[in-house]
Amino acid sequence: MAGPDQSPAFGSLALIAVVIGASAAAFAYTAGWLSPQRLTPGKLVAAFAPPTGVALGYRRNHAKGICFTGVFEANGAGSELSQAPVFARGQYPVLGRFNLGTADPNAPDATVRVRGLGIRISTPDGQEWRSAMINPPVFPVSTPEAFYELLRASGSKDPNALETFATAHPEFAAFRDWDKNAPWTGSYAEERFNSLNSFRSQWQN
Ligand code: HEM
């Protein structure tokens, strides 16, 4: 039986065991080991693979792109809305990358519907303003899980996979409409790039 002078040591050991156990459980949960059906970052990233297999050394999505440098010319009007230095009238250096929304770095330019623009604007006080935008006006789906399903349906050999997905995800219709009807431009410079903010609806279950 533990004497009164042994209790603190036992308590410390128990606390260490609890901390280690909780940490291990948190790692196991994050890795998806406790719930194999749950979507994990690893599963989502693995789903980005062209038919020829993962293109090592490239981004998993928007794999094909071209970098540029430029200047952001702020006309000062944004200062009415925000004190951010980047909106003060002036010129700020930009580092950017035009890209194609595909996991295939060798995809021909004219075959990829979604085009992207990533930029980093630097201000004299050392701030960096980063943005990733794409040309569709809406994102195809509203949850990461649905995006994963869409990737799987797009890469499926089942010819009905995309229709089955569309039926299960009515929100996909707006993107499909853009995909079908929006004009294809001949240059990145002719695109409108959208930031696509997301909101949680108060009516959402
Ligand atoms: C479920 C949602 C999304 C997923 C899973 C996803 C996934 C990815 C991945 C894996 C990359 C490659 C990152 C890297 O290796 O550096 C990427 C790049 C990019 N994404 Fe997304 N993305 C999502 C939503 C969006 C949205 C909503 C936008 C814009 C409105 C966007 C715009 C971009 C752009 C522009 C790039 C290329 C950035 C660069 O040139 O470095 N993505 N995305």
Side-chain angles (χ1 to χ4, degrees):
M1 230 170 76
D5 56 333
Q6 286 172 295
S7 297
F10 177 77
S12 302
L13 285 176
L15 187 63
I16 290 168
V18 167
V19 169
I20 292 175
S23 303
F27 273 104
Y29 174 80
T30 307
W33 298 336
L34 304 179
S35 46
Q37 295 310 314
R38 194 168 58 82
L39 180 60
T40 60
K43 273 193 203 168
L44 193 55
V45 169
F48 285 109
T52 45
V54 171
L56 296 177
Y58 292 88
R59 290 164 175 76
R60 280 302 182 97
N61 198 14
H62 301 258
K64 186 176 184 184
I66 182 164
C67 295
F68 63 86
T69 55
V71 172
F72 172 63
E73 292 190 12
N75 63 10
S79 300
E80 285 181 25
L81 302 170
S82 167
Q83 296 177 348
V86 73
F87 291 128
R89 189 183 177 84
Q91 295 194 328
Y92 307 99
V94 173
L95 186 61
R97 180 172 174 266
F98 287 115
N99 52 73
L100 299 176
T102 170
D104 180 359
N106 301 311
D109 290 2
T111 61
V112 182
R113 192 59 167 119
V114 173
R115 297 173 184 167
L117 169 61
I119 54 168
R120 187 190 72 187
I121 308 174
S122 306
T123 57
D125 61 348
Q127 289 189 3
E128 288 185 357
W129 290 81
R130 298 183 178 202
S131 180
M133 296 163 277
I134 46 178
N135 60 340
V138 288
F139 203 64
V141 290
S142 56
T143 63
E145 287 78 8
F147 192 67
Y148 178 67
E149 286 174 41
L150 175 60
L151 288 176
R152 307 251 303 174
S154 305
S156 168
K157 293 201 170 84
D158 173 2
N160 299 319
L162 209 54
E163 281 316 312
T164 308
F165 173 85
T167 306
H169 293 275
E171 77 274 19
F172 186 44
F175 179 87
R176 274 191 134 183
D177 183 50
W178 170 82
D179 181 11
K180 201 168 145 213
N181 299 313
W184 283 72
T185 63
S187 159
Y188 284 118
E190 294 170 57
E191 296 290 350
R192 176 188 173 126
F193 293 96
N194 304 295
S195 64
L196 302 186
N197 302 308
S198 62
F199 304 92
R200 181 176 284 273
S201 162
Q202 59 176 311
W203 294 284
Q204 203 173 17
N205 288 325

